[in-house]
Amino acid sequence: MWAMFLGCSSAAILKLDLYGSVPVFVQTARNAIMTKNCHNDYKMKFPTDEEYPDLSAHNNHMAKVMNRELYDKLRSKSTPSGFTLDDCIQTGVDNPGHPFIMTVGCVAGDEESYEVFKDLFDPIISDRHGGYKPTDKHSTDLNFENLKGGDDLDPNYVLSSRVRTGRSIKGFTLPPHNSRAERRAVEKLSIEALASLDGEFKGKYYPLCGMTDAEQDQLINDHFLFDKPVSPLLLAAGMARDWPDARGIWHNDNKTFLVWVNEEDHLRVISMQKGGNMKEVFRRFCVGLQKIEAIFKKHNHGFMWNEHLGYVLTCPSNLGTGLRGGVHVKLPKLSTHAKFEEILTRLRLQKRGTGGVDTASVGGVFDISNADRLGSSEVQQVQLVVDGVKLMVEMEKKLEKGESIDDMIPAQK
Amino acid sequence: MASSFTRMLSSRNTAVMLASLGASALATGYLMTDSGVTAEQRMKMYPPSADYPDLRKHNNCMASALTPAIYARLRDKRTPNDYTLDQCIQTGVDNPGHPFIKTVGMVAGDEESYEVFAELFDPVIKDRHNGYDPHTMKHPTDLDASKITSGMFDEKYVLSSRVRTGRSIRGLSLPPACSRSERREVERVVVTALSGLKGDLSGRYYGLTDMTDQEQQQLIDDHFLFDKPVSPLLTCAGMARDWPDARGIWHNNEKTFLIWINEEDHSRVISMEKGGNMKRVFERFCRGLKEVERLIQERGWEFMWNEHLGYILTCPSNLGTGLRAGVHVRLPLLSKDARFSKILDNLRLQKRGTGGVDTAATGDTFDISNLDRLGKSEVELVQLVVDGVNYLIECEKKLEKGQDIKVPAPLVQFRR
């Protein structure tokens, strides 16, 4: 009877899942079509104990949260596009993690993953994002005029400023799960959207397939080119499939606004320039993003967003704003000060080497950026960077003069 | 209700249907996005042509054989275990190949893959196995080691002898597709059988998960330990998932019979020893294999095999016998002779470095083994290696004496 209501060509029966609040859409016809990676029905024949992953040597958010009861509850579920619990957690099973660094250990395959596998994602989100609750609301603020200051960071110390985020396009599954056709559709839409930009945003798209050697060298020299992922965290999640099909880089003629297509997320949007004018970088970031979003919306493929999780991205660590706003700043004295880590923590900032995540600092130059992503807005996060970096540069100057900075140590923000 | 009903009929949107049933709590998840695309909708939105891989830069057997028409017919098929064509070919799409080395570019996720996707596997098998046609031809299996003649090499030249193959357990998915429980079941089935081996074959199992450091070091020193695959050919096919869960190494006390469990195949079986007694190596190989088969059959299991493809393994290149019989042999003079490659070709032999596939030779010592796997029996292939290596040694001896050597006539591929 329900098959008739659904009007589906295959015999499909809607079955209410006994445990969860989300029904499982079970297709029974042998020639019923589901997308790749979904042989969950077959796996359900094996008992939970036999399928449960060995996480005894693991140290990631997923392993902390996972237990047999949870696995048993969620293993029969599947998102409408066919993404399953095992698909979410494969990267965390394959990468036990690091004794000092806590990786996330799971990814979303589509927008619905965060809902269907709520019982897995909610505690991980809470752990990763400072106690963020399933009932919390996230505020989005891309009004650059709300940022105070940010145009006066000392360029003798602040070498460059950058803001990046990610965006997912509604109606398509995410990089761990998408088919070649979907990835190409995302690329096509992106090219169209970006080609319509003008003024300071006028630019050009360079697809990874068919890039000339000259173009490639230029993009490498500009530090724009992204490569096929080598990190096992990404590979194990299936994000490098079909490389370099439908991947590419777009940047404006001024080389201050850059978009990566189909790398770890549908889109990664980056605004950057030399020097310390974070205000300008953020203005361009907000304006550019809003222009792009308007065009996607016109095609009925706006960005994935909801009032609880903010912008929905592949990795739970990037939910909310998905924003990393940061500077390359010279702090040779402050970085060796005993209280450096403490200061960063209180300012809600993190440090990285100048090569980005998992790199070391070179010559006392650090990449300093916001630590938070979810639970505060874009403006708030960039404000923290602006205020925090300004303070740290003043501390550095003090230390240069041989003075103490003890009275400048900030309170916890 | 009427308006929701109309919307229900005009749209297949699951979320709307749920809402109209009054299942408001249930609907929350689906209403969160009104573009939650179902699997079926995706299929309709994206015809096979939109999914067809870009293979213009590719040089592997799969890319040579695949056409948009074949892809269109096979894309939406599934094996009984729900393995798909896209999964079979992912490794070939992700690894364009090498201008000089033609890789296979596809794998099987289960026994039925070779049948359900025969339209693509058959031409790939033909390409890789010298024109063997699985549709019409039958593959001979022969594990009677007593038939081998002249199987003792001159140990001045041959340093070691080795025969390997693979075996899959019927009813369980293969490494690209298997779930954790299936993989653990393979481990259980094989390890239980191996524990029943006696005499010179009795030995023990070392699971990768709870190996001690000492055991690990010993296995490394013996050159027995296999590592998590790093080759993208294997990792793109999903064979390293859940590493090192249910992976392990078994070997007999004499260290001449070795089994790898759940690496690239369910099991890899290796018989080896120092020196040139290939006949004894092969005899132990056959005896061990037959005994393991008997032991798994006692418990109601069997190996994947059929009369067209022989033993079914993950990679089509290993179908048939899955057998690579080889030696480490010193050929300082012959290897520098311009005719070396041609001689090997005609003898249906290949050379590798002493580190195995994709390694270079060190000094003058080469790994020489059979090229073929399918269409000739185990006995035929081992005899071919025995005869071929003996011929190479004769050439080397001739060159030592300053005599000339002859390039032998090419061997016949296989009986039709």
Side-chain angles (χ1 to χ4, degrees), chain A residues 2 4-10 14 16 20-23 25 27 30-43 45-47 49-54 56 71 78-82 86 89-90 93-95 111-112 114-116 170-173 177-182 184-185 209-210 228 240-243 245 305-306, chain B residues 5 8-9 11-14 17-18 21 25-30 32-40 42-47 49-54 56-58 71 75-76 78-84 86-87 89-90 93-96 171-173 177-182 184-185 188 209 228 232 236 240-243 245:
Chain A
W2 298 130
M4 193 178 78
F5 276 107
L6 289 167
C8 294
S9 54
S10 58
L14 195 70
L16 293 180
S21 57
V22 179
F25 191 63
Q27 300 201 342
R30 227 10 335 172
N31 66 348
I33 289 93
M34 298 213 18
T35 48
K36 64 174 278 301
N37 274 347
C38 187
H39 68 291
N40 216 38
D41 292 346
Y42 171 73
K43 284 200 278 190
K45 293 189 220 159
F46 299 94
D49 268 346
E50 281 310 306
E51 280 294 344
Y52 191 72
D54 180 353
S56 48
Y71 189 81
S78 160
T79 66
S81 74
D86 277 338
I89 68 173
Q90 191 67 58
V93 175
D94 288 348
N95 297 291
E111 191 167 6
E112 295 81 2
Y114 287 106
E115 190 54 39
V116 173
K170 234 169 149 54
F172 299 104
T173 59
H177 190 41
N178 55 13
S179 64
R180 282 180 291 273
E182 286 189 285
R184 290 163 181 170
C209 282
K228 181 170 179 175
R241 285 171 305 124
D242 313 312
W243 203 275
D245 197 320
W305 178 94
N306 66 57
Chain B
F5 194 83
M8 206 163 39
L9 290 179
S11 140
R12 291 211 196 139
N13 194 301
T14 318
M17 195 216 77
L18 290 171
L21 288 174
L26 299 166
T28 316
Y30 282 83
M32 191 177 90
T33 162
D34 56 285
S35 60
V37 187
T38 66
E40 201 186 29
R42 280 213 306 179
M43 185 271 293
K44 288 231 146 43
M45 264 163 29
Y46 301 111
S49 54
D51 262 324
Y52 192 72
D54 181 351
R56 287 171 297 173
K57 296 214 177 80
H58 288 58
Y71 186 76
R75 184 192 71 162
D76 299 324
R78 322 191 127 242
T79 68
N81 302 342
D82 271 324
Y83 205 64
T84 64
D86 277 333
Q87 288 174 293
I89 67 173
Q90 190 68 59
V93 176
D94 288 347
N95 297 291
L172 296 167
S173 304
C178 63
S179 69
R180 280 180 291 273
S181 58
E182 289 185 284
R184 291 164 181 173
E185 185 70 359
R188 255 195 305 271
T209 318
K228 180 170 179 175
C236 291
R241 286 171 304 125
D242 313 311
W243 202 273
D245 196 318

Side-chain angles (χ1 to χ4, degrees), chain B residues 213-315:
Chain B
D213 285 343
Q214 218 180 353
E215 288 168 343
Q216 187 174 292
Q217 196 51 53
Q218 185 60 55
L219 289 166
I220 291 173
D221 294 339
D222 289 329
H223 304 287
F224 284 173
L225 188 66
F226 64 87
D227 231 335
K228 180 170 179 175
V230 292
S231 162
L233 301 176
L234 299 185
T235 54
C236 291
M239 299 199 224
R241 286 171 304 125
D242 313 311
W243 202 273
D245 196 318
R247 272 82 168 191
I249 290 155
W250 181 99
H251 69 77
N252 66 347
N253 299 328
E254 298 179 11
K255 299 187 183 180
T256 53
F257 194 63
L258 166 69
I259 318 269
W260 287 352
I261 293 178
N262 286 320
E263 194 232 12
E264 183 184 334
D265 279 295
H266 282 173
S267 66
R268 283 288 178 96
V269 178
I270 302 148
S271 170
M272 61 218 251
E273 59 183 67
K274 289 245 181 285
N277 199 338
M278 180 59 95
K279 186 169 169 113
R280 185 166 64 198
V281 167
F282 186 53
E283 180 276 324
R284 183 171 51 245
F285 175 84
C286 296
R287 186 163 45 91
L289 268 175
K290 288 197 204 125
E291 188 58 12
V292 170
E293 182 161 26
R294 187 187 68 78
L295 288 161
I296 66 166
Q297 280 169 344
E298 265 180 4
R299 288 186 158 73
W301 297 94
E302 53 181 6
F303 291 143
M304 287 185 197
W305 179 94
N306 70 50
E307 60 178 357
H308 292 291
L309 296 178
Y311 288 101
I312 308 281
L313 294 174
T314 305
C315 180

Side-chain angles (χ1 to χ4, degrees), chain A residues 322-342:
Chain A
L323 185 144
R324 194 171 92 82
V327 298
H328 281 190
V329 56
K330 280 199 270 197
L331 299 170
K333 293 205 151 27
L334 183 60
S335 57
T336 52
H337 192 282
K339 291 228 160 73
F340 185 46
E341 298 287 343
E342 166 105 32

Side-chain angles (χ1 to χ4, degrees), chain B residues 157-161 326-330 353-356 365-368:
Chain B
Y157 300 90
V158 173
L159 309 175
S160 61
S161 308
V327 297
H328 280 188
V329 57
R330 288 190 330 104
T354 47
T365 309
F366 290 85
D367 176 316
I368 303 288

Side-chain angles (χ1 to χ4, degrees), chain A residues 107-208:
Chain A
V107 291
D110 50 23
E111 191 167 6
E112 295 81 2
S113 297
Y114 287 106
E115 190 54 39
V116 173
F117 304 110
K118 250 178 109 44
D119 293 328
L120 170 71
F121 281 107
D122 281 351
I124 290 174
I125 288 168
S126 174
D127 203 0
R128 180 69 176 208
H129 294 284
Y132 195 77
K133 297 191 290 296
T135 48
D136 283 340
K137 300 262 187 289
H138 170 83
S139 55
T140 293
D141 183 359
L142 282 161
N143 191 344
F144 63 91
E145 279 163 3
N146 290 340
L147 183 72
K148 300 192 206 13
D151 52 355
D152 59 349
L153 297 174
D154 189 339
N156 290 317
Y157 294 84
V158 179
L159 308 178
S160 60
S161 309
R162 178 184 188 267
V163 178
R164 71 86 159 147
T165 189
R167 289 290 186 264
S168 307
I169 315 301
K170 234 169 149 54
F172 299 104
T173 59
L174 297 171
H177 190 41
N178 55 13
S179 64
R180 282 180 291 273
E182 286 189 285
R183 206 184 293 113
R184 290 163 181 170
V186 165
E187 186 192 33
K188 190 154 176 277
L189 268 177
S190 304
I191 292 175
E192 215 184 297
L194 296 165
S196 68
L197 297 176
D198 60 6
E200 60 173 326
F201 293 108
K202 187 161 162 323
K204 188 179 159 184
Y205 182 68
Y206 302 87
L208 252 55

